[in-house]
Amino acid sequence: MIKRIVVKLDTVEGMLYFWQATKDREKVGEAYLNNMADFPEMKYIYGEGFNKESVRVVLSAISNRELLNGGSKKERKYWNNNMWMMEDLGYTDMMVTPLKVLNLESVKEKLNSTNLPEKHDELEVYFVPGHLDEYAIVDNKLIINFFRVKPDLHDENKITIGETPLVDYVQEKLTELLNQ
């Protein structure tokens, strides 16, 4: 039986400072960039063509107002995603605000009422600023690419990933996690 589902936004919170400071033309130091790359949640998006050094290089280029020279496809996508966040911080806030108050109690109840395997008593949902992948599943963790969260400009209560409402999306992916 699942006792709790925890939502983790630490990396997104850290990036909010980066996006705001960079948009305000403040220099973000290398120590901060390294700290962001060292966040434990970031390791879930690391792999071939994208690692800690990728995060540092991309964020450094953005902070220094430089184009990303070369880089892997994932690094270029990460650069584009971060630049997009700084274009309209109001829209970025529309992405973050619903995540801060995301209540997954109904998802927990639905998952507990099914005949899914009982592998974990706690599930974790991480929103991480990622690159190409929409989500990943590692053990009892669902890692969702924050950049895929889409608020509706006309209805602040309508948040989707792809075409799927956010809570339904999380439930669908947690079901997949439990079936692995």
Side-chain angles (χ1 to χ4, degrees), residues 47-109:
E48 187 175 331
F50 195 82
N51 56 33
K52 263 175 43 170
E53 181 62 9
S54 300
V55 171
R56 190 201 63 75
V57 166
V58 169
L59 296 182
S60 180
I62 293 169
S63 181
N64 291 324
R65 309 235 178 290
E66 299 169 350
L67 293 175
L68 184 64
N69 294 322
S72 69
K73 183 176 180 179
K74 290 178 180 179
E75 289 170 339
R76 290 189 307 273
K77 183 65 174 177
Y78 192 68
W79 186 89
N80 284 331
N81 286 342
N82 280 283
M83 293 299 289
W84 170 58
M85 287 295 98
M86 294 185 307
E87 283 180 22
D88 183 355
L89 291 174
Y91 187 78
T92 302
D93 188 55
M94 289 175 64
M95 294 169 69
V96 173
T97 300
L99 301 180
K100 289 182 178 181
V101 296
L102 183 60
N103 183 338
L104 297 175
E105 192 64 28
S106 65
V107 172
K108 181 181 83 171
E109 291 171 8

Side-chain angles (χ1 to χ4, degrees), residues 10 13 112 115 120:
D10 297 344
E13 294 281 355
N112 282 332
N115 291 327
H120 310 284

Side-chain angles (χ1 to χ4, degrees), residues 136-169:
I137 294 173
V138 180
D139 301 322
N140 68 327
K141 297 165 184 59
L142 170 61
I143 297 87
I144 299 174
N145 186 345
F146 168 73
F147 296 125
R148 300 297 177 96
V149 173
K150 300 290 181 232
D152 187 299
L153 295 174
H154 306 292
D155 181 356
E156 65 186 42
N157 296 317
K158 185 178 179 187
I159 309 297
T160 59
I161 297 179
E163 299 299 317
T164 308
L166 178 61
V167 173
D168 295 345
Y169 181 90

